[in-house]
Structure formats: C-alpha cells, structure tokens
Amino acid sequence: MINSELKLTGHVKVLLNNEVVRDIPNLVVTAGKGYVASRMKDTTAGAMSHMAVGTDATAAAAGNTALGAESARVALTSTAVSGAVITYSATFPAGTGTAALTEAGTLNASSGGTMLCRTVFSTVNKGASDSMSIVWQVTAS
C-alpha cells in the first residue's frame, strides 16, 4: 500500500529595521489548504497577494479565516518558488501597522479574501518610524 500524504508547513521571519526579531513556525489554516487544492484545479482563486499584521494574541487555529484584530495589510513585495518552497515577502513601511503586533497572515486580496497562513508571536512593538519586513515560507512535503 502506498501512503503519500501532502503536508503544508510554514516558517516566518519578522524583521524590524532590518534586524530579525522573531523566527517562528506558522499554521497553514484549513481555508488555506482548500485554497491550494482549488489552485490545483484552476486559477479561479486569485494568487496570494497580501500580508497583514494585527494585535490579537489568540493562538492560531486551523479554522481561522482572518486575523483576530488586523492593524494593517500591504501588497506582497515578492513571491518566489524554489522546489517545493514558496516564499512570500512584504514590507510594512514607517507609519504603517504601528502597534504592539502579535499576529500575521498571508491572504489573496487587499481586503477580505482567503487566508493561507496565520501565525501568532510574542509582541513586536512597531513604532511610527520603524520599518518591518516579513519573510514567509510555505513548504509542501
């Protein structure tokens, strides 16, 4: 009997003013897994295009479809595929997403949309003059 189970796992790096301040795993949520399956059929569901940050520290759960308390959302600055790994990158410039941030997610729309992944982390205080970048890798294995 052949058992081939597809797994999606993720890893996130949060950089504040070009310094890594968090290096954490993330959860590919149920809606995100459905999104991946739908993209195998066709491209009806738009590609992942945005990243959001927020202030809700409630643990990530498979049933999440949005951040708990979104503070800001920006367009991805880059998307790259290497083998079975896709890397999404986004930058929250000075003045954007200024808060005590504790969560992040990748989505396929500038508002609403389908969430692929969500992660929760210990507080990153992003001040008005701080720039924050997030590099998010999702691996199919």
Side-chain angles (χ1 to χ4, degrees):
M1 181 173 179
I2 297 175
N3 183 6
S4 180
E5 184 178 324
L6 176 64
K7 295 180 183 178
L8 296 173
T9 56
H11 195 85
V12 181
K13 286 188 181 184
V14 178
L15 297 87
L16 191 64
N17 300 319
N18 295 317
E19 180 181 330
V20 175
V21 294
R22 300 290 177 272
D23 192 351
I24 47 179
N26 88 124
L27 177 66
V28 177
V29 297
T30 302
K33 291 175 182 176
Y35 165 85
V36 170
S38 77
R39 293 284 294 185
M40 294 168 98
K41 174 189 160 284
D42 58 35
T43 58
T44 302
M48 288 295 133
S49 58
H50 287 76
M51 201 173 293
V53 291
T55 58
D56 186 353
T58 303
N64 291 154
T65 58
L67 293 184
E70 186 173 319
S71 297
R73 188 181 296 204
V74 297
L76 297 175
T77 53
S78 69
T79 303
V81 177
S82 177
V85 179
I86 186 163
T87 302
Y88 301 109
S89 299
T91 299
F92 296 81
T96 302
T98 300
L101 301 171
T102 56
E103 62 178 334
T106 54
L107 303 110
N108 71 343
S110 60
S111 64
T114 300
M115 177 182 283
L116 176 64
C117 304
R118 178 170 182 253
T119 192
V120 175
F121 45 85
S122 56
T123 303
V124 173
N125 291 306
K126 183 178 182 300
S129 62
D130 293 325
S131 175
M132 183 172 74
S133 298
I134 298 178
V135 178
W136 206 308
Q137 291 186 318
V138 178
T139 303
S141 61

